[in-house]
């Protein structure tokens, strides 16, 4: 059977140093991915609400499910970022396939709340769609994807299996799927995956901005239905200031430094550092935003926080800073003690929320501002 011309034609290799900008369809794709992040925030918030009598659950269930679901979702999101880096979605047929990948992510996002409770098959079907579209498109640029595809299909099979298993075996199968894909780079290597640094840096930076918008949405949800009193306005402004401070932690200073650092590396070493900095190190960054948004949602309109939301708010900021420290060190962009210390102090700040939610938001904002001043990033 003869393959269609649009598929059979190989993508002409270009130098990774050549400029490649993020396309509008990639930003469109990211909006669907961020919807899944919104769904994950809902799972975390579920840990703070009372369950129906007799419902099977355990302490921290939402957080565990969030970690497992995000882990496999983030792996394939990164796969699509690498895909559009190697196969720019310029042809209409490629764009249609990217839209098919978006449909797969949407199916999974809709299944996130019930992925461990009846919706596992739907989630697995969505995952199979994005794996097949990703593998098929990547073949136009590199046969190296053949080394990766068995791992992605294996993880899909494990997620399908989890849909038919009861607790705790469904959690075991999800964890196995996560371990399988996250460790695959150590078995397949990084040769054959030449990447354009400017595109990777820009794509992930834009994603971080969009995900940070989830914290802004959380302010609106938390304030929904409440009278706009002075206390509510102050808490909302502090929530906005906290989100802005997190943005400054990530983007403040020399925004071109990550790209210059990557361009100075040999190609395979560059790919390895992109994997470390923009995949692994971004895991705590993005999970930190999810936890922070869940904490902000509960902080707005409440005088004080219960233990769960207070820990989520503190841990979210700490995770974000820790991920940023890891990211910067992998790229050789700073090794000072200010940010690691700030991460520890943020993690220890949860008792403030038990006393006053507004004070907790204010303390975290002050901590980040002092940290940035200490580094002369402001």
């Amino acid at each position: 059977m003869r393959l269609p011309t649009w598929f059979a034609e190989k993508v002409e290799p270009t130098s990774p140093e050549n400029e490649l900008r993020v396309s509008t369809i990639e930003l469109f794709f990211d909006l669907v991915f961020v919807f899944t992040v919104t769904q994950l925030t809902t799972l975390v918030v579920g840990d703070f609400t009372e369950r129906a009598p007799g419902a099977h659950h355990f302490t921290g269930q939402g957080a565990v499910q969030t970690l497992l679901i995000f882990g496999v979702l983030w792996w394939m999101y990164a796969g699509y970022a690498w895909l559009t880096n190697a196969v720019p979605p310029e042809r209409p047929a490629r764009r249609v396939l990217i839209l098919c990948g978006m449909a797969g992510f949407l199916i999974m996002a809709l299944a996130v709340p019930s992925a461990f409770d009846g919706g596992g098959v739907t989630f697995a079907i969505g995952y199979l769609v994005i794996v097949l579209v990703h593998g098929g498109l990547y073949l136009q640029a590199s046969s190296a994807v053949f080394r990766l595809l068995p791992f992605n299909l294996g993880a899909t099979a494990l997620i399908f299996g989890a849909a038919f298993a009861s607790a705790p075996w469904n959690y075991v199968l999800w964890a196995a799927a996560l371990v399988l894909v996250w460790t695959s780079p150590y078995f397949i290597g990084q040769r054959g995956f030449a990447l354009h640094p400017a595109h990777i840096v820009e794509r992930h930076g834009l994603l971080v901005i969009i995900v940070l918008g989830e914290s802004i949405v959380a302010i609106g949800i938390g304030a929904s239905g409440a009278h706009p009193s002075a206390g509510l306005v102050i808490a909302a402004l502090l929530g906005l200031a906290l989100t802005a401070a997190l943005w400054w932690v990530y983007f403040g200073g020399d925004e071109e430094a990550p790209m210059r650092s990557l361009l100075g590396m040999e190609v395979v070493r560059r790919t390895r550092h992109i994997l470390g900095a923009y995949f692994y190190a971004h895991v705590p960054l993005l999970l930190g935003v999810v936890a922070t948004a869940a904490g902000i949602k509960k902080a707005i309109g409440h005088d004080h926080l219960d233990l769960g939301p207070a820990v989520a708010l503190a841990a979210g900021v700490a995770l974000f800073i820790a991920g940023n420290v890891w990211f910067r060190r992998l790229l050789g962009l700073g090794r000072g003690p200010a940010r690691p210390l700030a991460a520890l102090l943020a993690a220890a700040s949860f008792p403030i929320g038990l006393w006053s939610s507004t004070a907790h938001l204010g303390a975290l904002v002050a901590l980040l501002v002092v940290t940035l001043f200490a580094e002369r990033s402001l």
Side-chain angles (χ1 to χ4, degrees), residues 14-377:
T14 58
S15 170
E17 284 73 20
N18 290 350
E19 184 176 18
L20 178 66
R21 301 304 304 271
V22 175
S23 63
T24 53
I25 195 169
E26 291 172 80
L27 293 178
F28 191 25
F29 183 96
D30 289 355
L31 292 177
V32 179
F33 175 74
V34 171
F35 175 49
T36 66
V37 174
T38 302
Q39 295 286 74
L40 292 173
T41 300
T42 303
L43 277 182
V44 175
V45 172
D47 277 344
F48 312 149
T49 57
E50 291 187 11
R51 308 276 179 164
H56 177 74
H57 67 278
F58 57 87
T59 303
Q61 176 175 289
V64 172
Q65 292 179 0
T66 295
L67 178 61
L68 294 172
I69 294 173
F70 176 81
V72 296
L73 284 174
W74 177 239
W75 171 256
M76 285 311 302
Y77 172 85
Y80 273 78
W82 286 36
L83 167 64
T84 52
N85 188 284
V87 187
E90 298 167 347
R91 293 174 175 268
R94 291 178 191 159
R95 292 175 179 175
V96 169
L97 284 177
I98 292 294
L99 291 173
C100 290
M102 289 171 59
F105 268 100
L106 180 61
I107 291 170
M108 291 187 296
L110 294 173
V112 161
S114 59
F116 286 79
D117 185 24
V121 172
T122 302
F123 187 98
I125 290 172
Y127 205 78
L128 179 61
V129 169
I130 64 172
V131 166
L132 293 177
V133 170
H134 175 266
L137 269 174
Y138 220 127
L139 281 174
Q140 296 186 51
S142 173
S143 61
V145 74
F146 278 123
R147 307 198 306 267
L148 176 63
L149 194 54
F151 289 90
N152 290 344
L153 290 174
T156 306
L158 288 168
I159 294 171
F160 264 112
F164 298 99
S166 57
W169 297 111
N170 56 343
Y171 287 89
V172 172
L173 290 171
W174 270 89
L178 180 61
V179 171
L180 182 65
V181 292
W182 277 31
T183 59
S184 62
Y186 296 97
F187 297 103
I188 65 177
Q190 284 76 55
R191 293 190 180 279
F193 295 97
L195 298 170
H196 297 264
H199 176 271
I200 289 292
V201 172
E202 182 183 12
R203 179 76 184 271
H204 287 79
L206 291 170
L207 176 68
V208 169
I209 291 176
I210 297 172
V211 174
L212 282 172
E214 169 64 14
S215 296
I216 306 299
V217 173
I219 295 172
I221 295 175
S224 179
H227 178 72
S229 62
L232 180 67
V233 171
I234 291 172
L237 290 175
L238 286 172
L240 175 60
L242 179 58
T243 305
L246 294 177
W247 171 87
W248 212 304
V249 165
Y250 187 90
F251 292 100
D254 186 354
E255 292 189 21
E256 300 296 322
M259 187 177 67
R260 288 199 305 270
S261 174
L262 291 170
L263 285 172
M265 300 176 186
E266 179 269 332
V267 174
V268 175
R269 181 169 176 263
R270 176 190 299 157
T271 302
R272 189 176 300 120
H273 276 71
I274 287 174
L275 180 67
Y278 286 96
F279 176 72
Y280 294 114
H282 271 63
V283 170
L285 270 166
L286 297 177
L287 285 176
V289 176
V290 171
T292 300
I296 289 176
K297 188 181 294 185
K298 288 294 184 178
I300 304 299
H302 294 84
D303 293 333
H304 66 275
L305 294 170
D306 293 331
L307 180 61
V311 169
L313 184 57
V317 174
L319 277 173
F320 188 93
I321 300 171
N324 183 255
V325 170
W326 187 8
F327 163 76
R328 287 165 60 86
R329 291 193 174 183
L330 283 170
L331 297 180
L333 302 179
R335 302 177 181 275
R339 295 192 189 203
L341 178 59
L344 292 174
L345 291 176
S349 69
F350 71 90
I352 302 175
L354 303 177
W355 168 62
S356 168
S357 57
T358 301
H360 195 184
L361 291 170
L364 290 170
V365 171
L367 172 63
L368 292 178
V369 170
V370 169
T371 300
L372 292 169
F373 265 114
E375 293 184 336
R376 293 179 171 84
S377 296

